[in-house]
Amino acid sequence: MKVLIVGNGGREHALAWKISQSQRVEQVFVAPGNAGTAIDAINIPIAATDQEALIQFAKEEQIGLTIVGPEAPLVDGLVDAMEDAGLKVFGPSKAAAELEGSKVFCKNLLHTANIPTATYQTFGSAEDASRYIKERYSEPESSVQLVVKADGLAAGKGVIVCDSRSEALDAIDRIASRREFGEAGNELIIEEKLIGLEASVLAITDGETIITLPAAQDHKPALDGDLGPNTGGMGAYCPTPIVNEDLMEQIEAEVLVPVVHAMKRARRPFKGVLYAGLMLTATGPKVLEFNVRFGDPECQPLLMRLKSDLVDILEATADGRLSEMDPLEWDDRPSICVVMASEGYPGEYEKGRSITGLENAASIDDVKVFHAGTKLENGQVLTNGGRVLGVTALGSSISNSKLQAYKAVKEIRWPGAWCRKDISDKAMKY
Ligand code: AMP
Ligand code: GLY
């Protein structure tokens, strides 16, 4: 079978690497891909947003399964368009992808289905939202514990955690007046700030059967100790000991099963990856957000540990016969992924810097360097994005995986390269 993967990040490199190991797969194409997918698969110069060209390519090449990696083409309806053209695709429909595409839709669904989440209000204008803050917190110096969120997609950056009234008003201004995140700011949410540890629980579902994957933990803030601005994710590890078996059962029963049912009832049956971003609070797990795809970087350590054939499971999901599948097999060893980023990320950064040391890093045992923002030019690997590489390693314990990953990180250089030094440290307290 031939497989097409849509996207160009670290997640898509991990998918291409894993899928190309399947006995059933003869060729893996990635559109548009990066320098890493050019090595492990075949890059096709078609943008993830170019539905027409993707469909034409998939038809011409007789692609047996397409996997859509990122949220934007899912929210734009790529899965619907491909299915209409008679192609087999893994991923949710446009209507189902709204779970990630609109935080207002997501919060309203959670509320209706009685799924635990932060209390919230939605607003259609900066004026209404600002008035709400000013009325609720009359003193300018008031301390508040709120989170202001843009409704739409904003590459993980449209969420602003606020500790003062002025921060909340500034967040509203950025999202809904200055439109820093464009149309994503047409509506906004103000919600209660939750306190606790964060975990990512991903499940694969065909709308009937749910297969939960081992829990992972992302590191969204840019700097060590969870300081600095939010990013798309600076590193992840899996499994995380903060989600034990009992808690996983609770998350399945209180979050995953009800949301799959609620989506079915809303006539938006969900198939694909359902990613629950959770805050584990003193009063139980609460949903921060849903994503409708593999997390990036959670996908990298997850797939490094997966022993089963990923194509079988993704195809069964697309076919609606997940209930027939054997349980997934996992490597017992934990895995961690350290993201190496460009100078300036998550703000402005330059591209085109030459990366060295990739071969040395790759020669370290149980290490795989997944590419994210890279491109190949005249045989040279150049930086081409904010999150550049996801250095991923397996080890006999979380601390050994960490040692192994950072050993590989040390080998890799480009001017301005940086990473968090504390990925997985949160697991050490358990
Ligand atoms: P989201 O994209 O909604 O997951 O938000 C990105 C990050 O913002 C999350 O990973 C949390 O760290 C933080 N965040 C979002 N909502 C809340 C909340 N209600 N309370 C505390 N932190 C939050
Ligand atoms: N790792 C967070 C995300 O993929 O949105």
Side-chain angles (χ1 to χ4, degrees):
M1 175 174 31
K2 292 181 185 176
V3 173
L4 170 63
I5 297 165
V6 177
N8 63 352
R11 162 186 48 218
E12 287 75 27
H13 187 194
L15 287 164
W17 168 81
K18 177 70 188 163
I19 285 170
S20 60
Q21 292 165 27
S22 168
Q23 300 288 338
R24 298 178 51 213
V25 172
E26 51 184 293
Q27 273 181 316
V28 179
F29 299 97
V30 188
N34 57 37
T37 60
I39 297 163
D40 288 320
I42 303 163
N43 284 355
I44 304 298
I46 303 176
T49 46
D50 192 343
Q51 293 190 0
E52 217 172 297
L54 289 169
I55 290 170
Q56 193 186 344
F57 174 80
K59 280 187 161 172
E60 275 169 16
E61 284 291 338
Q62 297 186 312
I63 299 292
L65 180 67
T66 299
I67 297 141
V68 185
E71 58 277 19
L74 292 168
V75 170
D76 281 347
L78 178 57
V79 168
D80 313 57
M82 290 196 112
E83 282 180 349
D84 288 349
L87 296 159
K88 192 177 286 189
V89 201
F90 175 86
S93 66
K94 182 183 169 91
E98 217 175 327
L99 202 54
E100 175 167 1
S102 166
K103 289 188 191 292
V104 172
F105 170 80
C106 176
K107 291 295 286 195
N108 290 342
L109 186 106
L110 293 173
H111 181 68
T112 314
N114 218 1
I115 297 167
T117 188
T119 54
Y120 69 104
Q121 305 268 344
T122 63
F123 300 92
S125 72
E127 294 70 37
D128 289 350
S130 305
R131 192 177 323 115
Y132 169 81
I133 293 291
K134 286 176 185 160
E135 280 171 12
R136 239 185 109 180
Y137 305 97
S138 48
E139 296 301 316
E141 301 307 317
S142 298
S143 101
V144 305
Q145 297 277 299
L146 292 175
V147 185
V148 181
K149 299 185 174 187
D151 173 54
L153 296 182
K157 297 172 202 160
V159 172
I160 305 167
V161 179
C162 307
D163 296 314
S164 69
R165 184 182 185 263
S166 58
E167 271 176 6
L169 291 172
D170 185 55
I172 293 167
D173 187 48
R174 285 174 59 194
I175 293 173
S177 300
R178 283 185 270 154
R179 294 297 170 114
E180 256 179 51
F181 311 103
E183 280 186 18
N186 286 356
E187 284 190 274
L188 51 80
I189 289 177
I190 299 180
E191 69 179 34
E192 157 204 17
K193 179 178 169 182
L194 299 173
I195 309 291
L197 294 170
E198 277 186 59
S200 309
V201 175
L202 283 71
I204 295 179
T205 178
D206 59 3
E208 299 289 337
T209 302
I210 300 171
I211 296 183
T212 310
L213 313 184
Q217 203 173 27
D218 190 7
H219 295 65
K220 286 211 176 113
L223 307 175
D224 285 12
D226 280 348
L227 300 174
N230 260 337
T231 68
M234 294 305 299
Y237 69 96
C238 146
T240 173
I242 70 168
V243 179
N244 60 24
E245 232 168 273
D246 287 348
L247 190 52
M248 193 56 124
E249 273 179 28
Q250 190 185 355
I251 292 164
E252 284 169 355
E254 292 180 8
V255 176
L256 296 174
V257 171
V259 87
V260 169
H261 281 168
M263 290 298 282
K264 208 159 107 183
R265 274 201 307 275
R267 301 223 157 77
R268 299 168 188 253
F270 193 96
K271 66 177 168 66
V273 175
L274 190 56
Y275 164 139
L278 301 165
M279 187 72 89
L280 309 177
T281 74
T283 55
K286 294 191 178 178
V287 175
L288 292 172
E289 63 162 349
F290 269 108
N291 294 324
V292 298
R293 43 155 182 97
F294 283 106
D296 190 342
E298 291 94 326
C299 184
Q300 290 83 316
L302 270 168
L303 293 190
M304 193 101 173
R305 296 187 56 229
L306 181 65
K307 286 183 168 171
S308 311
D309 188 328
L310 183 63
V311 175
D312 288 344
I313 187 116
L314 301 186
E315 194 184 31
T317 307
D319 290 342
R321 47 176 182 80
L322 211 45
S323 60
E324 295 167 16
M325 299 303 292
D326 290 333
L328 293 177
E329 281 181 51
W330 298 94
D331 194 319
D332 286 335
R333 292 173 296 170
S335 173
I336 97 160
C337 170
V338 177
V339 170
M340 296 182 72
S342 294
E343 187 176 8
Y345 176 78
E348 308 251 311
Y349 53 84
E350 273 181 30
K351 297 179 180 177
R353 296 189 174 165
S354 177
I355 306 173
T356 57
L358 287 166
E359 290 80 13
N360 289 350
S363 68
I364 297 172
D365 284 345
D366 296 319
V367 166
K368 174 72 189 172
V369 179
F370 293 114
H371 291 225
T374 66
K375 69 173 174 187
L376 208 51
E377 217 170 77
N378 304 323
Q380 278 221 329
V381 179
L382 305 179
T383 64
N384 194 37
R387 294 190 293 168
V388 177
L389 299 170
V391 181
T392 311
L394 287 164
S396 55
S397 61
I398 294 177
S399 43
N400 282 337
S401 325
K402 181 183 174 191
L403 276 177
Q404 206 70 352
Y406 280 101
K407 203 162 130 191
V409 164
K410 267 208 186 130
E411 297 291 334
I412 302 172
R413 301 230 156 127
W414 74 85
W418 64 277
C419 65
R420 272 182 67 159
K421 301 286 189 294
D422 64 345
I423 303 302
S424 82
D425 285 0
K426 289 178 204 176
M428 302 308 162
K429 299 185 191 104
Y430 283 79

